[in-house]
Every structure is written in C-alpha cells, then in structure tokens.
Coordinates of all heavy atoms in Angstrom, one line a residue:
M1 N 7.6 -15.6 21.5 CA 6.3 -15.2 22.1 C 5.4 -16.4 22.2 O 5.3 -17.2 21.3 CB 5.7 -14.1 21.2 CG 4.4 -13.6 21.8 SD 3.7 -12.2 20.8 CE 2.4 -13.0 20.0
I2 N 4.8 -16.5 23.4 CA 3.8 -17.7 23.6 C 2.4 -17.2 23.4 O 2.0 -16.2 24.0 CB 4.0 -18.2 25.0 CG1 5.4 -18.8 25.2 CG2 3.0 -19.3 25.3 CD1 5.8 -19.3 26.5
D3 N 1.7 -17.9 22.5 CA 0.3 -17.5 22.4 C -0.5 -18.1 23.5 O -0.3 -19.3 23.9 CB -0.3 -18.1 21.0 CG 0.3 -17.3 19.8 OD1 0.6 -16.1 20.0 OD2 0.4 -17.9 18.8
I4 N -1.5 -17.4 24.0 CA -2.4 -17.9 25.0 C -3.5 -18.7 24.2 O -4.1 -18.2 23.3 CB -3.1 -16.7 25.8 CG1 -2.0 -16.0 26.6 CG2 -4.1 -17.3 26.7 CD1 -2.5 -14.8 27.3
M5 N -3.7 -19.9 24.7 CA -4.7 -20.8 24.0 C -6.0 -20.8 24.9 O -5.9 -20.7 26.1 CB -4.2 -22.2 23.9 CG -3.0 -22.3 23.1 SD -3.4 -22.3 21.4 CE -1.9 -22.7 20.6
T6 N -7.1 -20.8 24.2 CA -8.4 -20.9 24.9 C -9.0 -22.3 24.5 O -9.1 -22.6 23.4 CB -9.4 -19.8 24.4 OG1 -8.8 -18.6 24.6 CG2 -10.7 -19.9 25.0
R7 N -9.4 -23.0 25.5 CA -10.0 -24.3 25.3 C -11.5 -24.1 24.9 O -12.1 -23.2 25.4 CB -10.0 -25.2 26.6 CG -8.6 -25.7 26.9 CD -8.7 -26.5 28.2 NE -9.4 -27.8 27.9 CZ -8.9 -28.9 27.6 NH1 -7.6 -29.0 27.5 NH2 -9.6 -30.0 27.4
T8 N -11.9 -24.9 24.0 CA -13.3 -24.7 23.5 C -13.8 -26.1 23.1 O -13.1 -27.1 23.0 CB -13.5 -23.7 22.3 OG1 -14.8 -23.5 22.1 CG2 -12.8 -24.3 21.1
Q9 N -15.1 -26.2 23.0 CA -15.7 -27.5 22.6 C -16.5 -27.2 21.3 O -17.3 -26.2 21.3 CB -16.6 -27.9 23.7 CG -17.0 -29.3 23.7 CD -17.7 -29.7 25.0 OE1 -18.5 -29.0 25.5 NE2 -17.5 -30.9 25.5
I10 N -16.4 -28.1 20.3 CA -17.2 -27.9 19.1 C -17.8 -29.2 18.8 O -17.4 -30.3 19.2 CB -16.3 -27.4 17.9 CG1 -15.1 -28.4 17.7 CG2 -15.7 -26.1 18.2 CD1 -14.4 -28.2 16.4
Q11 N -18.9 -29.1 18.0 CA -19.5 -30.3 17.5 C -19.3 -30.4 16.0 O -19.5 -29.4 15.3 CB -21.0 -30.3 17.8 CG -21.3 -30.3 19.3 CD -22.8 -30.2 19.6 OE1 -23.6 -29.7 18.8 NE2 -23.1 -30.7 20.8
L12 N -18.9 -31.6 15.5 CA -18.7 -31.8 14.1 C -19.5 -32.9 13.6 O -19.6 -33.9 14.3 CB -17.2 -32.1 13.9 CG -16.2 -31.0 14.3 CD1 -14.8 -31.6 14.3 CD2 -16.3 -29.8 13.5
P13 N -20.0 -32.9 12.4 CA -20.6 -34.1 11.8 C -19.6 -35.2 11.7 O -18.4 -34.9 11.5 CB -21.0 -33.6 10.4 CG -21.0 -32.1 10.4 CD -20.0 -31.7 11.5
D14 N -20.0 -36.4 12.0 CA -19.0 -37.5 12.0 C -18.1 -37.6 10.8 O -16.9 -37.8 10.9 CB -19.7 -38.8 12.3 CG -18.7 -39.9 12.7 OD1 -18.0 -39.7 13.7 OD2 -18.6 -40.9 12.0
P15 N -18.7 -37.5 9.6 CA -17.8 -37.6 8.4 C -16.7 -36.5 8.4 O -15.6 -36.8 8.0 CB -18.8 -37.4 7.2 CG -20.1 -37.8 7.7 CD -20.1 -37.4 9.2
L16 N -17.0 -35.3 8.8 CA -16.0 -34.3 8.9 C -15.0 -34.6 10.0 O -13.8 -34.5 9.7 CB -16.7 -32.9 9.2 CG -15.7 -31.7 9.3 CD1 -14.9 -31.5 8.1 CD2 -16.5 -30.5 9.7
Y17 N -15.5 -35.0 11.1 CA -14.6 -35.4 12.2 C -13.6 -36.5 11.7 O -12.4 -36.4 12.0 CB -15.4 -35.9 13.4 CG -14.5 -36.5 14.5 CD1 -13.8 -35.6 15.4 CD2 -14.5 -37.8 14.7 CE1 -13.0 -36.2 16.4 CE2 -13.7 -38.4 15.7 CZ -13.0 -37.6 16.5 OH -12.2 -38.1 17.5
Q18 N -14.1 -37.5 11.1 CA -13.3 -38.7 10.6 C -12.3 -38.2 9.6 O -11.1 -38.6 9.6 CB -14.1 -39.8 10.0 CG -15.0 -40.5 11.0 CD -14.3 -41.1 12.2 OE1 -13.1 -41.5 12.0 NE2 -14.9 -41.0 13.4
R19 N -12.7 -37.3 8.7 CA -11.7 -36.7 7.7 C -10.6 -35.9 8.4 O -9.5 -36.1 8.0 CB -12.5 -35.9 6.7 CG -11.7 -35.3 5.6 CD -11.3 -36.3 4.6 NE -10.6 -35.7 3.5 CZ -9.3 -35.8 3.2 NH1 -8.6 -36.6 3.9 NH2 -8.7 -35.2 2.3
L20 N -11.0 -35.1 9.3 CA -10.0 -34.4 10.1 C -9.0 -35.3 10.8 O -7.8 -35.0 10.8 CB -10.6 -33.4 11.0 CG -11.4 -32.2 10.4 CD1 -12.2 -31.5 11.5 CD2 -10.5 -31.3 9.7
K21 N -9.5 -36.3 11.4 CA -8.7 -37.3 12.1 C -7.7 -38.0 11.1 O -6.5 -38.2 11.4 CB -9.5 -38.4 12.8 CG -10.3 -37.9 14.0 CD -9.4 -37.5 15.2 CE -9.0 -38.8 15.9 NZ -8.2 -38.6 17.1
T22 N -8.2 -38.3 9.9 CA -7.3 -38.9 8.9 C -6.2 -38.0 8.5 O -5.1 -38.4 8.4 CB -8.2 -39.3 7.7 OG1 -9.2 -40.2 8.1 CG2 -7.3 -39.9 6.6
I23 N -6.6 -36.7 8.3 CA -5.6 -35.7 7.9 C -4.5 -35.6 9.0 O -3.3 -35.5 8.8 CB -6.2 -34.3 7.6 CG1 -7.1 -34.4 6.3 CG2 -5.2 -33.2 7.5 CD1 -8.0 -33.3 6.1
A24 N -5.0 -35.5 10.3 CA -4.1 -35.4 11.4 C -3.1 -36.5 11.5 O -1.9 -36.3 11.6 CB -4.9 -35.3 12.7
K25 N -3.6 -37.7 11.3 CA -2.8 -38.9 11.4 C -1.8 -38.9 10.2 O -0.6 -39.2 10.4 CB -3.7 -40.2 11.3 CG -2.9 -41.4 11.5 CD -3.8 -42.7 11.5 CE -2.9 -43.9 11.7 NZ -3.8 -45.1 11.8
R26 N -2.3 -38.6 9.0 CA -1.4 -38.6 7.8 C -0.3 -37.5 8.0 O 0.9 -37.8 7.5 CB -2.3 -38.3 6.6 CG -1.6 -38.6 5.3 CD -2.5 -38.4 4.1 NE -3.6 -39.3 4.2 CZ -4.8 -39.1 3.6 NH1 -5.0 -38.0 2.9 NH2 -5.7 -40.0 3.7
Q27 N -0.6 -36.4 8.6 CA 0.4 -35.3 8.7 C 1.2 -35.4 10.0 O 2.1 -34.6 10.3 CB -0.3 -34.0 8.7 CG -1.0 -33.7 7.4 CD 0.0 -33.6 6.2 OE1 1.1 -33.0 6.4 NE2 -0.4 -34.1 5.1
D28 N 0.8 -36.4 10.9 CA 1.5 -36.5 12.2 C 1.2 -35.3 13.0 O 2.1 -34.8 13.7 CB 2.9 -36.9 12.1 CG 3.5 -37.4 13.4 OD1 2.7 -38.0 14.2 OD2 4.7 -37.2 13.7
W29 N 0.0 -34.8 13.0 CA -0.4 -33.6 13.8 C -1.5 -34.1 14.7 O -2.2 -35.1 14.5 CB -1.0 -32.5 12.9 CG -0.1 -31.9 11.9 CD1 1.3 -31.8 12.0 CD2 -0.5 -31.2 10.7 NE1 1.7 -31.1 10.9 CE2 0.7 -30.8 10.1 CE3 -1.7 -30.9 10.1 CZ2 0.7 -30.0 8.9 CZ3 -1.7 -30.2 8.9 CH2 -0.5 -29.8 8.3
S30 N -1.8 -33.3 15.7 CA -2.9 -33.5 16.6 C -4.2 -33.0 15.9 O -4.1 -32.2 15.0 CB -2.8 -32.8 17.9 OG -2.8 -31.4 17.8
L31 N -5.3 -33.5 16.3 CA -6.6 -33.0 15.8 C -6.7 -31.5 16.1 O -7.1 -30.7 15.2 CB -7.8 -33.7 16.4 CG -9.2 -33.3 15.9 CD1 -9.3 -33.4 14.4 CD2 -10.2 -34.0 16.7
A32 N -6.3 -31.1 17.3 CA -6.4 -29.6 17.6 C -5.5 -28.8 16.6 O -6.0 -27.7 16.2 CB -5.9 -29.4 19.0
E33 N -4.4 -29.3 16.2 CA -3.5 -28.6 15.3 C -4.2 -28.4 13.9 O -4.1 -27.4 13.3 CB -2.2 -29.2 15.2 CG -1.2 -28.4 14.5 CD 0.2 -29.0 14.5 OE1 0.4 -30.1 15.1 OE2 1.2 -28.4 14.0
V34 N -4.8 -29.5 13.5 CA -5.5 -29.5 12.2 C -6.6 -28.4 12.2 O -6.8 -27.6 11.3 CB -6.1 -30.9 11.8 CG1 -7.0 -30.8 10.6 CG2 -5.0 -31.9 11.6
V35 N -7.4 -28.4 13.3 CA -8.5 -27.5 13.4 C -8.0 -26.1 13.5 O -8.6 -25.1 12.9 CB -9.4 -27.8 14.6 CG1 -10.5 -26.8 14.9 CG2 -10.1 -29.2 14.4
R36 N -6.9 -25.8 14.3 CA -6.3 -24.5 14.4 C -5.9 -24.0 13.0 O -6.1 -22.9 12.6 CB -5.1 -24.5 15.3 CG -5.5 -24.2 16.8 CD -4.3 -23.9 17.6 NE -3.3 -24.9 17.6 CZ -3.3 -26.0 18.4 NH1 -4.3 -26.2 19.3 NH2 -2.3 -26.9 18.3
K37 N -5.2 -24.9 12.3 CA -4.7 -24.5 10.9 C -5.8 -24.2 10.0 O -5.8 -23.2 9.2 CB -3.8 -25.6 10.4 CG -2.4 -25.8 11.0 CD -1.7 -27.0 10.4 CE -0.4 -27.2 11.1 NZ 0.6 -26.1 10.8
A38 N -6.9 -25.0 10.1 CA -8.0 -24.7 9.2 C -8.7 -23.4 9.6 O -9.1 -22.6 8.7 CB -9.0 -25.9 9.3
A39 N -8.8 -23.1 10.9 CA -9.5 -21.9 11.3 C -8.6 -20.7 10.9 O -9.2 -19.7 10.5 CB -9.7 -21.9 12.8
E40 N -7.3 -20.8 11.1 CA -6.4 -19.7 10.7 C -6.5 -19.4 9.2 O -6.6 -18.3 8.7 CB -5.0 -20.0 11.0 CG -4.7 -20.0 12.5 CD -3.3 -20.5 12.9 OE1 -2.6 -21.1 12.0 OE2 -3.0 -20.5 14.1
H41 N -6.6 -20.5 8.4 CA -6.8 -20.4 6.9 C -8.1 -19.7 6.6 O -8.2 -18.8 5.8 CB -6.7 -21.7 6.3 CG -6.8 -21.7 4.8 ND1 -5.7 -21.3 4.0 CD2 -7.8 -22.1 4.0 CE1 -6.1 -21.4 2.7 NE2 -7.3 -21.8 2.7
F42 N -9.2 -20.1 7.3 CA -10.5 -19.6 7.0 C -10.6 -18.1 7.4 O -11.0 -17.3 6.6 CB -11.5 -20.4 7.9 CG -12.9 -20.0 7.6 CD1 -13.6 -20.4 6.5 CD2 -13.6 -19.1 8.5 CE1 -14.9 -20.1 6.2 CE2 -14.9 -18.7 8.2 CZ -15.6 -19.2 7.1
V43 N -10.1 -17.7 8.6 CA -10.2 -16.3 8.9 C -9.3 -15.4 8.1 O -9.6 -14.2 8.0 CB -10.0 -16.1 10.5 CG1 -11.0 -16.8 11.3 CG2 -8.6 -16.4 10.9
S44 N -8.3 -15.9 7.5 CA -7.4 -15.1 6.7 C -8.2 -14.6 5.4 O -7.7 -13.7 4.8 CB -6.2 -15.8 6.3 OG -6.4 -16.9 5.3
R45 N -9.2 -15.3 5.1 CA -10.0 -14.9 3.9 C -11.0 -13.8 4.2 O -11.7 -13.3 3.3 CB -10.8 -16.1 3.4 CG -9.8 -17.2 3.1 CD -10.2 -18.0 1.9 NE -9.3 -19.1 1.6 CZ -8.5 -19.1 0.6 NH1 -8.5 -18.1 -0.3 NH2 -7.7 -20.1 0.4
F46 N -11.1 -13.3 5.4 CA -12.1 -12.3 5.8 C -11.3 -11.1 6.3 O -10.8 -11.2 7.4 CB -13.1 -12.8 6.9 CG -14.0 -13.8 6.4 CD1 -13.7 -15.1 6.4 CD2 -15.2 -13.5 5.8 CE1 -14.5 -16.1 6.0 CE2 -16.1 -14.4 5.4 CZ -15.8 -15.7 5.4
P47 N -11.3 -10.0 5.6 CA -10.6 -8.8 6.2 C -11.3 -8.3 7.4 O -12.5 -8.5 7.6 CB -10.8 -7.7 5.1 CG -11.1 -8.5 3.8 CD -11.8 -9.7 4.3
E48 N -10.5 -7.8 8.4 CA -11.1 -7.4 9.7 C -12.2 -6.4 9.6 O -13.1 -6.3 10.3 CB -10.0 -7.0 10.7 CG -9.2 -8.2 11.2 CD -8.4 -7.9 12.4 OE1 -8.9 -7.1 13.2 OE2 -7.4 -8.4 12.5
N49 N -12.0 -5.5 8.6 CA -13.0 -4.4 8.5 C -14.4 -4.9 8.1 O -15.4 -4.3 8.2 CB -12.6 -3.3 7.5 CG -12.4 -3.8 6.1 OD1 -12.5 -5.0 5.8 ND2 -12.0 -2.9 5.2
D50 N -14.5 -6.2 7.5 CA -15.8 -6.8 7.2 C -16.6 -7.0 8.5 O -17.8 -7.1 8.4 CB -15.6 -8.1 6.5 CG -15.3 -8.0 5.0 OD1 -15.4 -6.8 4.6 OD2 -15.1 -9.0 4.4
L51 N -16.0 -7.1 9.6 CA -16.7 -7.4 10.9 C -17.5 -6.2 11.3 O -18.3 -6.3 12.2 CB -15.7 -7.8 12.0 CG -14.8 -9.0 11.7 CD1 -13.8 -9.2 12.9 CD2 -15.7 -10.2 11.6
Q52 N -17.2 -5.0 10.8 CA -17.9 -3.8 11.2 C -19.2 -3.5 10.4 O -19.9 -2.6 10.7 CB -17.0 -2.6 11.1 CG -15.7 -2.7 12.0 CD -14.7 -1.6 11.7 OE1 -14.9 -0.8 10.8 NE2 -13.6 -1.7 12.4
R53 N -19.5 -4.4 9.5 CA -20.7 -4.2 8.7 C -21.9 -4.3 9.6 O -22.0 -5.1 10.5 CB -20.8 -5.3 7.7 CG -20.7 -4.8 6.3 CD -21.1 -5.9 5.3 NE -19.8 -6.7 5.1 CZ -19.8 -7.7 4.3 NH1 -20.8 -8.1 3.7 NH2 -18.7 -8.3 4.1
S54 N -22.9 -3.4 9.4 CA -24.1 -3.4 10.2 C -25.1 -4.5 9.9 O -25.8 -5.0 10.8 CB -24.8 -2.0 10.1 OG -25.2 -1.8 8.8
E55 N -25.1 -4.9 8.7 CA -26.1 -6.0 8.3 C -25.3 -7.2 7.8 O -24.4 -7.1 7.0 CB -27.0 -5.5 7.1 CG -28.0 -6.5 6.8 CD -28.9 -6.0 5.7 OE1 -29.3 -4.8 5.7 OE2 -29.2 -6.8 4.8
W56 N -25.5 -8.3 8.5 CA -24.8 -9.6 8.2 C -25.3 -10.1 6.8 O -26.5 -10.0 6.5 CB -25.1 -10.6 9.2 CG -24.3 -11.9 9.0 CD1 -23.0 -12.1 9.5 CD2 -24.6 -13.0 8.3 NE1 -22.6 -13.3 9.1 CE2 -23.6 -13.9 8.4 CE3 -25.8 -13.4 7.6 CZ2 -23.6 -15.2 7.8 CZ3 -25.8 -14.7 7.0 CH2 -24.7 -15.5 7.1
Q57 N -24.3 -10.5 6.0 CA -24.6 -11.2 4.7 C -23.9 -12.5 4.7 O -22.8 -12.6 5.2 CB -24.2 -10.3 3.6 CG -24.9 -9.0 3.5 CD -24.4 -8.1 2.4 OE1 -23.4 -8.5 1.7 NE2 -25.0 -7.0 2.2
F58 N -24.5 -13.5 4.0 CA -23.8 -14.8 3.9 C -22.5 -14.5 3.1 O -22.5 -14.0 2.1 CB -24.7 -15.8 3.2 CG -24.2 -17.2 3.4 CD1 -24.6 -17.9 4.5 CD2 -23.4 -17.8 2.4 CE1 -24.1 -19.2 4.7 CE2 -23.0 -19.1 2.6 CZ -23.3 -19.8 3.7
P59 N -21.4 -14.9 3.7 CA -20.1 -14.7 3.0 C -19.9 -15.5 1.8 O -20.3 -16.6 1.7 CB -19.0 -15.1 4.1 CG -19.7 -16.0 5.0 CD -21.2 -15.6 5.0
V60 N -19.3 -14.9 0.8 CA -18.9 -15.6 -0.4 C -17.4 -15.6 -0.4 O -16.7 -14.6 -0.3 CB -19.4 -14.8 -1.7 CG1 -18.9 -15.5 -2.9 CG2 -20.9 -14.7 -1.7
I61 N -16.8 -16.8 -0.4 CA -15.4 -17.0 -0.2 C -14.8 -17.6 -1.5 O -15.3 -18.6 -2.0 CB -15.1 -18.0 0.9 CG1 -15.8 -17.5 2.2 CG2 -13.7 -18.2 1.1 CD1 -15.8 -18.5 3.3
E62 N -13.7 -17.0 -1.9 CA -12.9 -17.6 -3.0 C -12.0 -18.5 -2.3 O -11.0 -18.1 -1.7 CB -12.2 -16.5 -3.8 CG -11.2 -17.0 -4.8 CD -11.8 -18.0 -5.8 OE1 -12.8 -17.8 -6.4 OE2 -11.1 -19.1 -5.9
A63 N -12.2 -19.8 -2.4 CA -11.4 -20.8 -1.7 C -10.1 -21.1 -2.4 O -9.2 -21.7 -1.9 CB -12.2 -22.1 -1.5
G64 N -9.9 -20.6 -3.6 CA -8.6 -20.8 -4.3 C -8.3 -22.2 -4.6 O -7.2 -22.6 -4.7
G65 N -9.4 -23.0 -4.7 CA -9.2 -24.5 -4.9 C -8.7 -25.3 -3.8 O -8.4 -26.4 -3.9
D66 N -8.6 -24.6 -2.6 CA -8.1 -25.3 -1.4 C -9.1 -26.4 -0.9 O -8.8 -27.4 -0.3 CB -7.9 -24.4 -0.2 CG -6.8 -23.4 -0.6 OD1 -5.9 -23.7 -1.4 OD2 -6.8 -22.2 -0.1
F67 N -10.4 -26.1 -1.0 CA -11.5 -26.9 -0.4 C -12.3 -27.5 -1.5 O -12.7 -26.8 -2.5 CB -12.4 -26.1 0.5 CG -11.7 -25.4 1.6 CD1 -11.4 -24.1 1.6 CD2 -11.3 -26.2 2.7 CE1 -10.7 -23.5 2.6 CE2 -10.6 -25.6 3.8 CZ -10.3 -24.2 3.7
V68 N -12.5 -28.8 -1.4 CA -13.4 -29.5 -2.3 C -14.5 -30.2 -1.5 O -14.2 -31.1 -0.7 CB -12.7 -30.5 -3.2 CG1 -13.7 -31.2 -4.1 CG2 -11.6 -29.8 -4.0
N69 N -15.7 -29.7 -1.6 CA -16.8 -30.3 -0.8 C -17.8 -30.9 -1.7 O -18.1 -30.4 -2.7 CB -17.5 -29.2 0.0 CG -16.7 -28.7 1.2 OD1 -16.0 -29.5 1.8 ND2 -16.9 -27.5 1.6
E70 N -18.3 -32.0 -1.2 CA -19.5 -32.6 -1.9 C -20.7 -31.8 -1.5 O -21.0 -31.7 -0.3 CB -19.6 -34.1 -1.4 CG -20.9 -34.7 -1.9 CD -21.0 -34.8 -3.4 OE1 -20.0 -35.0 -4.1 OE2 -22.1 -34.6 -3.9
P71 N -21.4 -31.1 -2.4 CA -22.5 -30.2 -2.1 C -23.5 -30.9 -1.2 O -24.0 -30.3 -0.2 CB -23.1 -29.8 -3.4 CG -22.0 -30.0 -4.4 CD -21.1 -31.1 -3.9
A72 N -23.8 -32.2 -1.3 CA -24.8 -32.8 -0.5 C -24.3 -32.9 1.0 O -25.1 -33.0 1.9 CB -25.0 -34.2 -1.0
S73 N -23.0 -32.9 1.2 CA -22.5 -33.0 2.6 C -22.7 -31.7 3.4 O -22.7 -31.7 4.6 CB -21.0 -33.4 2.6 OG -20.2 -32.3 2.1
V74 N -22.8 -30.6 2.7 CA -23.0 -29.3 3.4 C -24.5 -28.9 3.4 O -24.8 -27.9 4.1 CB -22.1 -28.2 2.9 CG1 -20.7 -28.5 3.1 CG2 -22.4 -27.9 1.4
R75 N -25.3 -29.5 2.7 CA -26.7 -29.1 2.6 C -27.5 -29.0 4.0 O -28.2 -28.1 4.2 CB -27.5 -30.1 1.7 CG -28.9 -29.7 1.4 CD -29.0 -28.4 0.6 NE -30.3 -27.8 0.8 CZ -30.7 -26.8 0.1 NH1 -29.9 -26.2 -0.8 NH2 -31.9 -26.3 0.3
P76 N -27.3 -30.0 4.9 CA -27.9 -29.9 6.2 C -27.5 -28.6 6.9 O -28.3 -28.0 7.6 CB -27.5 -31.1 6.9 CG -27.1 -32.1 5.9 CD -26.6 -31.3 4.7
E77 N -26.3 -28.2 6.8 CA -25.8 -27.0 7.5 C -26.4 -25.8 6.8 O -26.9 -24.9 7.5 CB -24.3 -26.9 7.3 CG -23.7 -25.7 7.9 CD -23.4 -25.8 9.4 OE1 -23.3 -26.9 9.9 OE2 -23.3 -24.8 10.1
V78 N -26.5 -25.7 5.5 CA -27.2 -24.6 4.8 C -28.6 -24.5 5.2 O -29.2 -23.4 5.5 CB -27.0 -24.8 3.3 CG1 -27.9 -23.8 2.5 CG2 -25.6 -24.7 2.9
D79 N -29.3 -25.7 5.3 CA -30.7 -25.7 5.7 C -30.9 -25.1 7.1 O -31.8 -24.4 7.4 CB -31.3 -27.1 5.6 CG -31.5 -27.5 4.1 OD1 -31.5 -26.7 3.2 OD2 -31.6 -28.7 3.9
A80 N -30.0 -25.5 8.0 CA -30.1 -25.1 9.4 C -29.9 -23.6 9.5 O -30.6 -22.9 10.2 CB -29.0 -25.8 10.3
I81 N -28.9 -23.0 8.7 CA -28.7 -21.6 8.7 C -29.9 -20.9 8.2 O -30.3 -19.9 8.8 CB -27.4 -21.2 7.9 CG1 -26.2 -21.8 8.6 CG2 -27.3 -19.7 7.6 CD1 -24.9 -21.8 7.8
A82 N -30.5 -21.3 7.1 CA -31.6 -20.7 6.5 C -32.8 -20.7 7.5 O -33.5 -19.8 7.6 CB -32.0 -21.4 5.2
H83 N -33.0 -21.9 8.2 CA -34.1 -22.0 9.2 C -33.9 -21.0 10.3 O -34.8 -20.3 10.7 CB -34.1 -23.4 9.7 CG -35.1 -23.6 10.8 ND1 -36.5 -23.7 10.5 CD2 -35.0 -23.8 12.1 CE1 -37.2 -23.9 11.6 NE2 -36.3 -23.9 12.6
R84 N -32.7 -20.8 10.8 CA -32.4 -19.9 11.9 C -32.6 -18.4 11.4 O -33.1 -17.6 12.2 CB -31.0 -20.0 12.4 CG -30.8 -21.2 13.3 CD -29.4 -21.2 14.0 NE -28.3 -21.1 13.2 CZ -27.6 -22.1 12.7 NH1 -27.9 -23.3 13.0 NH2 -26.5 -21.8 11.9
A85 N -32.3 -18.1 10.2 CA -32.5 -16.8 9.6 C -34.0 -16.4 9.5 O -34.3 -15.2 9.6 CB -31.8 -16.7 8.3
R86 N -34.8 -17.4 9.3 CA -36.3 -17.1 9.2 C -36.9 -16.9 10.5 O -38.0 -16.3 10.6 CB -37.0 -18.3 8.5 CG -36.7 -18.4 7.0 CD -37.6 -19.4 6.4 NE -37.2 -20.8 6.8 CZ -36.5 -21.6 6.1 NH1 -36.0 -21.2 4.9 NH2 -36.2 -22.8 6.5
K87 N -36.3 -17.2 11.6 CA -36.9 -17.1 12.9 C -37.0 -15.6 13.3 O -36.3 -14.8 13.0 CB -36.2 -17.9 14.0 CG -36.4 -19.3 13.9 CD -35.7 -20.0 15.0 CE -36.0 -21.5 14.9 NZ -35.4 -22.3 16.0

C-alpha cells in the first residue's frame, strides 16, 4: 500500500532544526523522514477520542524518557502559547 503524502511547510527554531539535521545525517535519513518519525511518535501518545473533547486543555505527555529538553529552550514556545490563550 502506498501512503499519500502531503507537502507542508513548517518553521523551526534554528537549534531544533540543526539538531534534527544532525540526527538525520547520523541515521542516514532525510530531514523529512526524521520529522515524520517524530510526528508519528508524538501522535501515538494521544488517543483519537481525546480529539472529541469540547474544551481544549494543555496536554500532559508521559514521554517515557524518549525526549530530553532543556527547559530554557522551550520557554519561548510556552510563552507564545500562553500569550495566544489570553487573547
């Protein structure tokens, strides 16, 4: 079976982009493949019935030790989400 692919454009902070490129090179994968694998891993943590909730809540994810983030590196994203929520 052939999956239909949709082209999209995303913006990434440069440190994240560079890290993804490093992973891709190390694994001999394309950047697109790294992003697809990461997205597949991420969505597997959210049961589909969660999408039917009437009120959105910030998700709490048990990462299982897969992800290690420097808290300071995600702070601008958290601030941007909080700012949009106040509007």
Side-chain angles (χ1 to χ4, degrees):
M1 184 173 106
I2 298 175
D3 289 331
I4 296 173
M5 298 283 186
T6 301
R7 290 181 66 96
T8 190
Q9 200 172 37
I10 59 172
Q11 296 177 339
L12 302 169
D14 193 59
L16 177 58
Y17 173 78
Q18 294 302 326
R19 181 75 175 110
L20 291 170
K21 291 289 282 186
T22 299
I23 292 168
K25 184 175 182 178
R26 196 175 296 156
Q27 297 296 322
D28 196 29
W29 295 337
S30 68
L31 178 61
E33 190 171 4
V34 173
V35 172
R36 272 193 303 275
K37 288 176 182 292
E40 288 168 357
H41 183 74
F42 184 80
V43 299
S44 72
R45 304 216 181 250
F46 292 88
E48 285 197 36
N49 61 359
D50 279 357
L51 299 176
Q52 298 172 1
R53 249 191 272 181
S54 61
E55 184 179 320
W56 186 87
Q57 296 176 357
F58 196 83
V60 177
I61 302 169
E62 171 54 50
D66 298 330
F67 300 102
V68 178
N69 285 329
E70 172 61 38
S73 70
V74 295
R75 185 65 199 190
E77 180 84 21
V78 171
D79 290 342
I81 291 168
H83 178 74
R84 287 193 302 267
R86 286 191 290 262
K87 287 184 176 181

